[in-house]
Amino acid sequence: MTSAPMIEEYLHRLALSEAKGVALVTELIEKHLARYAFSSLNALAGQPLSLQTDALFERLVVNQQGGYCFEHNKIAYLALKHLGFKVRSVLARVMLNGKPTNPRTHRMNVLELDGETYLVDVGFGNKTPRGLLNINQRTCTIGHDTYQITRNGDVVTVVLHEPDQPPLTLYEVELYDVVEADFEVAHFYSHQHPEAIFVNNLVVSLITASHRYLIRNQQFLVWDAAGQLITDQSIDSLEALTQLVHEAFLLQPPKTVLETVFAKVTANAAV
């Protein structure tokens, strides 16, 4: 199957409405986040992850194996271009740990629409915004969350303000033009370097209209729409991990991947 039919299949599975413009892109974001989980399962299991279009769609959409930013946001980029939007992909520095020297290891998209410029992200794990971020505005509110937007030349900083939580800087987005080879380099580091986060940690998340679900190594956490933690339980067996991955996150990874991942997670916890 070639890439165009795969994009059509992806859009068909999302069952998008007849909405246009901002409403259509917002719907695509929300439905993608609720159907296609963010996952480091393959990276933690040491799997090579091709970003070639057909292989990418086969892995994430058809086989429901999940993925991370370089996978999710490339699919979103291709889908938005297919729908006729003016969109390009950029690199960002993840700032969750507050270090300004972090490498550019996050892929996301910039959308130009009706004279405005938006950030489109469907691949930032549990903290992924459930909608568009207008970088021409100082703040954007999505549900119970407010995003502070600061632009300094071609660098946009996004800070998340959640109810009853301290401000959290998500990323510094660099609006410079990049090419696919730039993403390949950052992607290779992120899923192959022995010190990369996803090579050493299990992170799986799914975001619906009512909940945010997260596996973080051996923890399973669920927040409601208002940001209140309602579930915090440990994952003590391969069977429990397998059930969660299938039922809560809608993923179908190979059994060997789950076995390798659980062994690594428990070994890391024992160190």
Side-chain angles (χ1 to χ4, degrees):
M1 186 181 289
T2 61
S3 56
M6 281 195 161
I7 296 171
E8 290 285 358
E9 174 64 19
Y10 162 77
L11 294 170
H12 174 74
R13 292 185 184 209
L14 290 187
L16 298 175
S17 70
E18 297 299 318
K20 305 293 182 184
V22 167
L24 175 60
V25 180
T26 301
E27 183 182 357
L28 184 148
I29 292 170
E30 292 174 347
K31 289 187 171 179
H32 182 107
L33 293 176
R35 183 180 179 96
Y36 298 109
F38 181 100
S39 170
S40 69
L41 281 164
N42 283 328
L44 185 54
Q47 299 291 307
L49 303 175
S50 170
L51 293 183
Q52 292 297 311
T53 302
D54 289 2
L56 175 57
F57 276 86
E58 185 77 21
R59 184 171 65 248
L60 198 148
V61 176
V62 178
N63 294 334
Q64 296 177 257
Q65 292 187 20
Y68 71 139
C69 68
F70 291 98
E71 299 165 280
H72 283 284
N73 279 319
K74 182 169 183 178
I75 285 177
Y77 163 77
L78 293 169
L80 290 169
K81 280 190 70 75
H82 186 81
L83 289 169
F85 289 100
K86 183 180 179 182
V87 63
R88 61 189 179 91
S89 293
V90 294
L91 280 166
R93 299 181 192 275
V94 177
M95 299 298 294
L96 296 176
N97 64 5
K99 295 182 179 179
T101 56
N102 290 334
R104 302 178 186 92
T105 57
H106 182 57
R107 177 175 185 152
M108 58 195 307
N109 299 304
V110 176
L111 174 74
E112 303 284 349
L113 182 61
D114 298 331
E116 301 289 350
T117 304
Y118 300 92
L119 300 178
V120 179
D121 192 354
V122 294
F124 200 62
N126 188 55
K127 297 300 184 183
T128 305
R130 289 187 65 254
L132 292 160
L133 298 179
N134 189 332
I135 67 173
N136 297 327
Q137 298 179 359
R138 292 188 176 182
T139 60
C140 296
T141 299
I142 302 173
H144 293 267
D145 299 328
T146 298
Y147 298 86
Q148 177 185 338
I149 313 293
T150 304
R151 182 169 182 176
N152 183 9
D154 285 325
V155 179
V156 177
T157 304
V158 179
V159 179
L160 169 62
H161 295 264
E162 298 173 290
D164 304 319
Q165 296 293 326
L168 178 65
T169 302
L170 300 184
Y171 29 59
E172 290 182 350
V173 187
E174 302 189 343
L175 303 178
Y176 313 116
D177 288 335
V178 290
V179 297
E180 282 298 321
D182 296 316
F183 298 121
E184 288 281 358
V185 170
H187 167 60
F188 183 81
Y189 169 86
S190 298
H191 84 289
Q192 293 290 322
H193 194 282
E195 296 181 6
I197 290 175
F198 298 135
V199 174
N200 294 283
N201 292 277
L202 176 59
V203 181
V204 186
S205 73
L206 194 75
I207 302 172
T208 69
S210 57
H211 295 88
R212 289 179 184 255
Y213 302 87
L214 174 67
I215 292 175
R216 184 169 54 207
N217 291 320
Q218 287 185 270
Q219 267 187 304
F220 174 55
L221 305 112
V222 183
W223 292 264
D224 65 18
Q228 298 298 310
L229 182 65
I230 58 175
T231 300
D232 184 351
Q233 66 187 51
S234 62
I235 304 170
D236 297 323
S237 67
L238 174 60
E239 291 73 24
L241 175 62
T242 300
Q243 183 176 3
L244 280 173
V245 165
H246 288 171
E247 297 179 5
F249 297 91
L250 311 178
L251 293 174
Q252 295 294 328
K255 182 180 178 181
T256 54
V257 166
L258 287 169
E259 290 171 343
T260 300
V261 162
F262 188 74
K264 285 191 174 182
V265 168
T266 52
N268 289 344
V271 174

